[in-house]
Amino acid sequence: DTGVSQDPRHKITKRGQNVTFRCDPISEHNRLYWYRQTLGQGPEFLTYFQNEAQLEKSRLLSDRFSAERPKGSFSTLEIQRTEQGDSAMYLCASSLGAQLAGLEEQYFGPGTRLTVT
Amino acid sequence: AQSVTQLDSQVPVFEEAPVELRCNYSSSVSVYLFWYVQYPNQGLQLLLKYLSGSTLVESINGFEAEFNKSQTSFHLRKPSVHISDTAEYFCAVRNTGGFKTIFGAGTRLFVKA
């Protein structure tokens, strides 16, 4: 299967610990997105990369959150000093950039479920 | 700014009955519209999308949605549902020139035998 993969699928951590999630997009996709989904809500946009450049960040992404895509392939999302409010499903998506922005389909990974105790 | 409102959080329906999942959006610019489906323990999958042209769009598994610009709606319909359609359905919008997708809160469709 050559879809978007995320690792780990589940993470339980204690409040105050740091966690890092990995996303591997579909190989030829140049755009990568992170979303967060809490219970009973739809996904909320966090950040977006075109190749290795982080082009947009949501105000939801506090200083404790950082995302990287060092070689324009896989991406990592790190949360420092986790809080209980960070408990959510973290989704990654990728797309192949079209000439007309916004047209292309975003393919989602299965998500990483974070539980902060 | 854009927003999406899914008017029903849960829709229970009997198998082979018709169903409509309602979605209204708000935007000051032109948008693309999407419906995504999330089956239990699976990732989000694109069900159908409206980009331009015909206001009625269809998916391969019998769902259809109609873009109504005057009512700013994009309701999802299926004339006869199956047990396997049980899932959560998300309506979403994206600027025609942007990358950020705004999702509604979701509608849980529960098909009963």
Side-chain angles (χ1 to χ4, degrees):
Chain A
D1 190 300
T2 56
V4 178
S5 61
Q6 293 186 245
D7 184 68
R9 295 290 304 276
H10 303 272
K11 178 72 177 177
I12 299 173
T13 191
K14 291 186 178 176
R15 191 177 53 182
Q17 298 294 304
N18 299 345
V19 294
T20 300
F21 310 141
R22 178 180 169 122
C23 170
D24 285 272
I26 293 171
S27 59
E28 67 270 23
H29 284 185
N30 58 341
R31 292 178 176 155
L32 187 145
Y33 315 79
W34 284 98
Y35 293 83
R36 181 172 68 187
Q37 185 177 14
T38 52
L39 208 59
Q41 298 298 317
E44 296 172 291
F45 172 82
L46 292 179
T47 190
Y48 150 70
F49 290 85
Q50 177 146 318
N51 300 312
E52 65 274 11
Q54 188 174 20
L55 297 186
E56 191 170 347
K57 285 173 63 171
S58 164
R59 276 171 276 177
L60 290 174
L61 220 62
S62 75
D63 291 344
R64 296 185 297 105
F65 288 71
S66 62
E68 293 182 344
R69 194 182 183 199
K71 296 181 181 177
S73 56
F74 73 91
S75 175
T76 57
L77 178 68
E78 182 182 15
I79 309 174
Q80 296 183 326
R81 304 181 303 283
T82 52
E83 300 172 358
Q84 286 188 318
D86 298 332
S87 295
M89 179 77 87
Y90 290 84
L91 299 171
C92 176
S94 71
S95 68
L96 182 61
Q99 260 192 320
L100 286 176
L103 258 183
E104 72 268 20
E105 181 174 347
Q106 294 181 11
Y107 293 82
F108 283 81
T112 294
R113 183 170 295 283
L114 173 66
T115 302
V116 182
T117 61
Chain B
Q2 297 147 336
S3 66
V4 178
T5 302
Q6 291 186 243
L7 296 156
D8 307 291
S9 60
Q10 293 186 71
V11 174
V13 64
F14 284 105
E15 193 174 20
E16 297 183 6
V19 71
E20 178 180 78
L21 307 184
R22 297 178 293 168
C23 172
N24 287 100
Y25 71 93
S26 170
S27 177
S28 56
V29 298
S30 297
V31 295
Y32 299 130
L33 294 158
F34 307 85
W35 275 98
Y36 285 83
V37 59
Q38 189 170 33
Y39 297 104
N41 300 313
Q42 293 188 30
L44 280 164
Q45 301 172 35
L46 182 66
L47 187 61
L48 46 75
K49 60 187 175 186
Y50 170 77
L51 304 178
S52 65
S54 172
T55 57
L56 186 66
V57 290
E58 297 175 354
S59 72
I60 56 173
N61 57 354
F63 282 94
E64 64 179 29
E66 185 158 19
F67 169 55
N68 188 319
K69 190 173 181 180
S70 62
Q71 296 185 2
T72 60
S73 68
F74 192 53
H75 301 331
L76 181 70
R77 290 185 276 261
K78 188 169 185 180
S80 175
V81 293
H82 303 288
I83 298 282
S84 60
D85 292 324
T86 294
E88 187 133 26
Y89 292 80
F90 294 94
C91 181
V93 300
R94 190 185 309 158
N95 273 355
T96 54
F99 311 104
K100 182 164 64 176
T101 305
I102 307 298
F103 287 84
T107 297
R108 184 169 298 278
L109 176 63
F110 179 58
V111 182
K112 301 177 283 187

